[in-house]
Amino acid sequence: MKPSSLGVLFVHGIQGKPAQFDFLEQLLPADVRRMNVDLPGHGATAKEFRCAGMTDWLTSVKSQARELCQSCDRVLFVGHSMGCLLGLLATEEPDISFAGMLLLCCPFAIRPTLRYFRNNMLAIKTRGLTDDPFVKAAWEANSVAVKSAAEYVTCLRPYLGLLRLIHRGNRQKSPPDCPVHFFFSSRDEIVSPRSAKRAAALPCAEVGLLDGCGHNYFTQDAKQLLCQQFRAMLQA
């Protein structure tokens, strides 16, 4: 019989990193088991990144989710961007069940803007040494080291993997039956506003909007709101 315990699984998005969840992970009591996934192909160079794809990411997330579900009575899931889709699709497995999900900037639909390309190019150029919080956040959230933005052109496999995940996420036949708390950013550079409408149509879903935030940049007020929601989930 499993001991009475709580586990939390954090999953970042494409090109993201585990450190993006530091402001939430620091809220966890010492006795809470946590896994902060570093997805295959991430945390290295474009060479490693271009070799990873949808199957690798799903396998990694399902494996760690399954381990937590087998060792804990309750498991919470926290995802950002593509990580949200990975968490939703993981619940299709009969032995994976979450007690609640906190999903940030879930890309059910994408809409790359000029700001998206500008911020990412400036992030690489300035290496995050800028007063622009959106550019700085783009640099700090990126775990794939490149010498220039042109290297991303060689990374077809992971980007196609993201598109496949979006396709599958929009056609998921059995969405999770646990409480799902979606938060979208009012100034998201790449996630389309249509994503919020898709999220609102899911059963057991609540949708919130983070004013003044981007895909990777969250204001202090937004972080406080997310921390409040996370604490409520921990105490449920």
Side-chain angles (χ1 to χ4, degrees), residues 36-57:
N36 200 338
V37 177
D38 194 4
L39 292 174
H42 291 72
T45 66
K47 179 180 179 180
E48 288 79 13
F49 179 59
R50 70 172 66 103
C51 295
M54 183 187 74
T55 301
D56 306 300
W57 302 327

Side-chain angles (χ1 to χ4, degrees), residues 80-235:
H80 174 255
S81 192
M82 183 181 74
C84 303
L85 298 172
L86 292 169
L88 289 169
L89 293 172
T91 64
E92 294 178 339
E93 300 297 321
D95 56 347
I96 295 177
S97 178
F98 301 126
M101 303 181 76
L102 178 59
L103 306 181
L104 314 180
C105 306
C106 183
F108 285 122
I110 59 174
R111 182 198 60 179
T113 62
L114 289 177
R115 287 187 298 112
Y116 171 77
F117 295 106
R118 169 192 175 273
N119 290 350
N120 282 279
M121 290 181 67
L122 286 176
I124 295 171
K125 181 179 180 180
T126 66
R127 301 183 65 82
L129 300 176
T130 172
D131 292 330
D132 187 322
F134 293 88
V135 174
K136 185 176 182 180
W139 170 258
E140 292 178 343
N142 181 38
S143 71
V144 180
V146 295
K147 296 178 181 179
S148 70
E151 278 195 79
Y152 290 130
V153 178
T154 68
C155 301
L156 184 61
R157 182 184 177 191
Y159 296 137
L160 287 177
L162 171 59
L163 294 179
R164 291 173 64 195
L165 283 169
I166 293 172
H167 179 81
R168 286 188 56 176
N170 277 285
R171 288 157 180 76
Q172 187 174 20
K173 295 181 179 180
S174 301
D177 57 3
C178 66
V180 184
H181 306 278
F182 287 93
F183 284 91
F184 294 91
S185 295
S186 66
R187 299 187 63 191
D188 198 305
E189 299 92 338
I190 190 167
V191 173
S192 168
R194 291 188 291 116
S195 294
K197 294 182 179 179
R198 159 66 177 165
L202 295 177
C204 305
E206 294 182 356
V207 178
L209 183 66
L210 302 174
D211 189 42
C213 298
H215 192 65
N216 294 304
Y217 170 66
F218 299 101
T219 66
Q220 287 304 312
D221 286 344
K223 286 184 176 181
Q224 290 179 11
L225 177 61
L226 294 173
C227 286
Q228 180 181 350
Q229 179 63 67
F230 190 46
R231 287 193 188 96
M233 294 170 65
L234 292 172
Q235 298 168 3

